[in-house]
Amino acid sequence: MIVAAEQKSAFHARLQRIQKGQQFEHAEVLGKATHKAYKREFGSKPKKPRRTFADNLMVLIAFLAGMSAVLLGRIIYFNMSKMQGLPEAFYKLEDRGMLLFALILAGTMMALLHLFSKQRFAALLIGSVVMHYGEAAVASNAPEFWSSMFSADYAAQMAEQGKDYRVTPRG
């Protein structure tokens, strides 16, 4: 009889909580809400997957792909701007023409090399920005190499812009 009276009082208390909008279940009665609250508080969290060597290598490849996309975009636009017979608007593009070719090349490399993950895409963008803004430093440190790809005037102009970034061995 005592157990039945305790059950009735526990049931009555629970009904009152439900009617008040306090639907937290009693600790001894395991329900879905109690289980979810317990898992949220004390449950095991899934481990972050570790990057494998291949993933790290693909991030490096994405970085190099971004750099090469900008370089190839600049070379393609530079050589095509020397061609005759193209529309007048093409010659007025200047840096936007290089960016257009670089964007097309970067999109192609993304599709071919599967560079769609967050880390790979970020590495591709960082490589592109590094090459875009680091071109003057490269031209300043390797003027012969740069003049072999571009005209001597352009290579000298870029070397002049990057004179502060010259790497010289100190002995």
Side-chain angles (χ1 to χ4, degrees), residues 23-167:
Q23 295 184 3
F24 184 75
E25 298 171 355
H26 192 270
E28 295 175 1
V29 180
L30 293 180
K32 185 175 181 181
T34 306
H35 186 69
K36 282 176 65 177
Y38 179 82
K39 288 292 271 184
R40 184 173 41 249
E41 190 72 26
F42 304 107
S44 61
K45 295 180 179 156
K47 292 182 179 179
K48 289 184 180 177
R50 295 188 58 138
R51 270 201 248 164
T52 62
F53 176 74
D55 289 336
N56 289 335
L57 183 64
M58 286 304 293
V59 169
L60 177 65
I61 289 171
F63 179 76
L64 295 174
M67 291 179 72
S68 63
V70 171
L71 180 63
L72 288 173
R74 192 168 301 278
I75 290 171
I76 290 170
Y77 181 73
F78 188 80
N79 290 328
M80 286 187 74
S81 65
K82 292 179 182 178
M83 298 172 105
Q84 299 295 326
L86 293 173
E88 185 69 27
F90 181 79
Y91 300 109
K92 293 181 180 178
L93 286 175
E94 297 174 1
D95 277 346
R96 293 172 296 189
M98 180 278 304
L99 289 174
L100 179 66
F101 282 114
L103 182 65
I104 292 169
L105 288 168
T108 304
M109 288 182 190
M110 282 179 65
L112 292 177
L113 300 175
H114 302 287
L115 305 176
F116 294 108
S117 72
K118 190 187 318 182
Q119 294 87 7
R120 294 175 188 178
F121 184 69
L124 181 84
L125 287 178
I126 291 170
S128 300
V129 169
V130 164
M131 190 61 198
H132 181 69
Y133 290 109
E135 179 188 7
V138 174
S140 177
N141 288 305
E144 302 84 22
F145 175 69
W146 217 248
S147 63
S148 68
M149 291 190 297
F150 301 104
S151 68
D153 296 337
Y154 180 76
Q157 177 189 0
M158 293 312 292
E160 181 64 29
Q161 286 181 4
K163 66 182 176 189
D164 297 334
Y165 305 112
R166 184 155 302 195
V167 178

